[in-house]
Every structure is written in structure tokens, then in C-alpha cells.
Amino acid sequence: MKTISDILSSKPKASNSIKPGALVIDALNLLNSVNLSYLIVMDGDNYKGIFCERDYSRNVVLKGRSSSNTSVQDVMTTDLPLVEPSDSIAYGMSLMNSHKTRYLLAYDGKKFAGVITIHDLLRQVLSNLDDSDNSMARTLIDNEEAGRIF
């Protein structure tokens, strides 16, 4: 059975982190440069939250804030569900579904181990499908990444 540890070991070292006091405009520029939908908000080695495109749209744009003078810590997400490396992929998918989120936080004991995304989980599921099922699932992922579903 595949585990969260399998996902963490297959992911490259995170280069998408930002400090809590950074401005949202700088976070947006970093999101663009790393071509990801989220940043890990870190204060040194301490995890503080996630800043994602959804945080920007809901907590900056819709609330009339300015990206040039709002800090990431004022709009980031801090209440994501937690998983451990030994947890199964199925458990991660269930947790993500029940919390209606696209991200899970992986902790190894009390140490932050990384972020698990909906795409990470789907890629693991795809690796276990036959070719006909795989084609349909890849179409779903491509559509989701293009913002057409989910």
C-alpha cells in the first residue's frame, strides 16, 4: 500500500517558500516564477501556513485589500489537515475530501515534512491504473489544472 512517505520521497526539495512578513505582491511574483499554485510560509525552519491563489482571490481581491501593502501572514491559510508519512494515500484523499481542501500538511512527529497536494495524490492513483483508465484520469487532471473542474 502506497503511503504519504512515498509522495514525499518523490517530490523535489521545496523551493516555493516565503516569509510571513513578505508582501502579497512579492508572493504573487514568486508563485508566477515557480509556476505553482501555492507557497509554503516559513519562519526559519518553522512552518506558519500556506499562501495560495485562493487566499489571494478571497482574502485580498474580494476584501478590497492592496497586494502592495498586505502581508502574506494576514491572508494565508493556517488550518489545513495533518497527515503523517506512514498514513495511506487513501487516508490522505479521504481527509482532503472531507475538509474540502487541495492541500495536506505532512508532519513526521513534530517536524514539518512537506505539503501534499491534490495533484500529488492523483498522480499516485494514476500510477496504479491501466492505460484506458489512465487516459481518462489524465484528462481530469489536465482539466482541473486548467481551472475547469474542482
Side-chain angles (χ1 to χ4, degrees):
M1 167 177 43
K2 297 274 187 172
T3 65
I4 297 297
S5 179
D6 294 322
I7 292 175
L8 291 171
S9 65
S10 70
K11 290 179 79 156
K13 183 170 172 22
S15 62
N16 58 321
S17 65
I18 195 160
K19 294 182 183 286
L23 294 175
V24 168
I25 190 70
D26 296 326
L28 293 172
N29 284 322
L30 183 55
L31 279 174
N32 187 50
S33 70
V34 296
N35 195 28
L36 291 172
S37 62
Y38 72 98
L39 298 174
I40 304 168
V41 183
M42 299 289 289
D43 189 6
D45 290 334
N46 298 316
Y47 166 83
K48 295 297 181 182
I50 294 283
F51 175 79
C52 64
E53 294 166 337
R54 187 174 280 184
D55 294 323
Y56 175 68
S57 63
R58 291 181 178 182
N59 298 326
V60 178
V61 174
L62 289 178
K63 293 184 178 176
R65 294 177 166 170
S66 167
S67 302
S68 300
N69 62 20
T70 301
S71 67
V72 169
Q73 66 193 353
D74 294 334
V75 296
M76 67 187 182
T77 298
T78 59
D79 58 347
L80 293 170
L82 305 178
V83 291
E84 297 179 4
S86 61
D87 288 335
S88 70
I89 300 292
Y91 174 73
M93 291 180 83
S94 174
L95 196 60
M96 194 174 279
N97 185 50
S98 65
H99 286 268
K100 302 199 183 324
T101 185
R102 296 175 185 212
Y103 308 102
L104 300 172
L105 302 178
Y107 273 85
D108 192 357
K110 293 189 181 227
K111 184 178 183 236
F112 176 70
V115 174
I116 303 298
T117 70
I118 191 170
H119 295 113
D120 295 331
L121 295 174
L122 289 172
R123 283 184 193 98
Q124 284 296 319
V125 170
L126 285 176
S127 69
N128 295 328
L129 297 177
D130 67 31
D131 287 338
S132 62
D133 290 335
N134 203 339
S135 175
M136 183 185 313
R138 288 209 185 279
T139 300
L140 286 172
I141 289 176
D142 291 343
N143 286 337
E144 195 280 331
E145 286 178 345
R148 292 187 284 263
I149 61 173
F150 290 95

